[in-house]
Amino acid sequence: MRIRTKVTFTVASMAASMFAYSAAAPASIAAPAPAANVAVTAGAQQALDVIRGKTRCFSYSYGDDGTSSVTVYFHNRCKHSRGIKIRVAQASDACIWVRGGDFDKKKFKGPHPTVQSVKEVSHCG
């Protein structure tokens, strides 16, 4: 009985979503978006490009649209402390010591800074 209820609920929700989509489709087709909104959407979409990566102990991410700054977010997934070395073009490099399980972020400022490399190191210095 329980499986039949789940299947009925799933079919009903799919039908409701298809009905809502078919009811909304003519309205969106009838009113095309102005060209100015399309340009803004394309610019906003470029601003959301995120680069993600992993090393042995770290996971990191950063945005690829830096015009005046770029922020690198990182998380040490190991139990022991490790260093992360971030090399950035048009800004000074950084080596940050992170305790096990901790996370943090580092903001780099400069004219069009771009992250060149992110490496895990055994010591900073």
Side-chain angles (χ1 to χ4, degrees):
M1 184 68 172
R2 190 172 168 147
I3 293 174
R4 184 179 297 174
T5 305
K6 286 182 181 180
V7 171
T8 304
F9 179 72
T10 304
V11 171
S13 65
M14 286 176 45
S17 65
M18 289 187 337
F19 176 74
Y21 178 76
S22 65
S28 64
I29 293 171
N37 286 347
V38 173
V40 169
T41 305
Q45 198 169 29
Q46 285 180 347
L48 298 177
D49 291 341
V50 176
I51 309 297
R52 298 178 195 278
K54 291 182 184 178
T55 63
R56 191 173 128 238
C57 284
F58 284 98
S59 59
Y60 61 89
S61 65
Y62 58 91
D64 195 25
D65 66 329
T67 56
S68 64
S69 68
V70 63
T71 304
V72 179
Y73 300 88
F74 48 88
H75 176 226
N76 185 352
R77 300 174 293 144
C78 292
K79 292 183 180 180
H80 55 281
S81 298
R82 295 293 289 177
I84 184 168
K85 185 170 186 169
I86 305 166
R87 185 170 289 257
V88 179
Q90 306 295 331
S92 58
D93 301 342
C95 186
I96 302 135
W97 194 253
V98 185
R99 292 185 310 185
D102 256 357
F103 55 91
D104 204 356
K105 62 185 174 184
K106 175 71 175 167
K107 187 172 191 175
F108 298 92
K109 293 183 180 182
H112 300 287
T114 55
V115 176
Q116 292 179 333
S117 67
V118 178
K119 291 190 224 177
E120 183 177 337
V121 293
S122 59
H123 65 277
C124 289

